[in-house]
Amino acid sequence: SSPSSSSSSPAGPSARSRHSAVLYDVDHSVLIFGGDSDGRGRGCLNDLWSFNITTQSWTLLSPNSTSSAVPSPRYGHYMTVYKGSVIIYAGTNYVGSTSAFSRARFTDMWSFNMSSLAWTLLSGSPRPWSSVMDYT
């Protein structure tokens, strides 16, 4: 069955790069998660969109109100579909002030259940670890 959501928009998601996309066969849609909105890794996103191939329409899939945990904004992550859920793993973000950014890499795995519209942390810490080159 098609997922319900809180927002439908013909315009769809904002422009982005380094996002992930998968085909969700259940309702003939393409799902897009996260990415980078400024091309430099400093405008990371954590939104999940569905493009229905049949109706040619975009829907923002928002977590239900009882789900408080969501993945941190990221780009360069992995994404797949497994048994009615979207799974994302890892990714990168930048942290810090505008004058002193450092790269942060994630090692967490999240599941978004397409029926209940809820994110669940499956493994790892939702906090990023810094790359070796960022240590002082």
Side-chain angles (χ1 to χ4, degrees), residues 5-136:
S5 69
S6 62
S7 176
S8 185
S9 170
S14 60
R16 63 192 66 207
S17 63
R18 300 184 274 185
H19 56 279
S20 290
V22 294
L23 179 63
Y24 185 62
D25 283 337
V26 173
D27 68 353
H28 307 289
S29 62
V30 175
L31 304 174
I32 294 175
F33 177 81
D36 173 23
S37 66
D38 74 357
R40 299 178 299 149
R42 296 181 181 149
C44 290
L45 305 163
N46 66 342
D47 51 353
L48 179 62
W49 286 87
S50 173
F51 179 75
N52 186 294
I53 297 168
T54 304
T55 64
Q56 300 285 296
S57 62
W58 286 102
T59 302
L60 176 61
L61 300 178
S62 298
N64 67 34
S65 60
T66 61
S67 174
S68 59
V70 297
S72 296
R74 64 190 68 204
Y75 67 86
H77 50 280
Y78 300 94
M79 182 171 157
T80 191
V81 173
Y82 179 72
K83 293 187 177 182
S85 292
V86 175
I87 310 294
I88 65 161
Y89 173 71
T92 303
N93 194 344
Y94 278 86
V95 295
S97 66
T98 55
S99 61
F101 280 103
S102 66
R103 186 181 314 207
R105 294 199 171 111
F106 295 95
T107 59
D108 53 351
M109 183 180 298
W110 289 84
S111 172
F112 184 81
N113 184 293
M114 295 293 288
S115 296
S116 66
L117 301 178
W119 282 107
T120 303
L121 177 63
L122 298 176
S123 68
S125 170
R127 300 179 59 115
W129 57 274
S130 297
S131 65
V132 172
M133 69 180 157
D134 292 332
Y135 285 118
T136 56

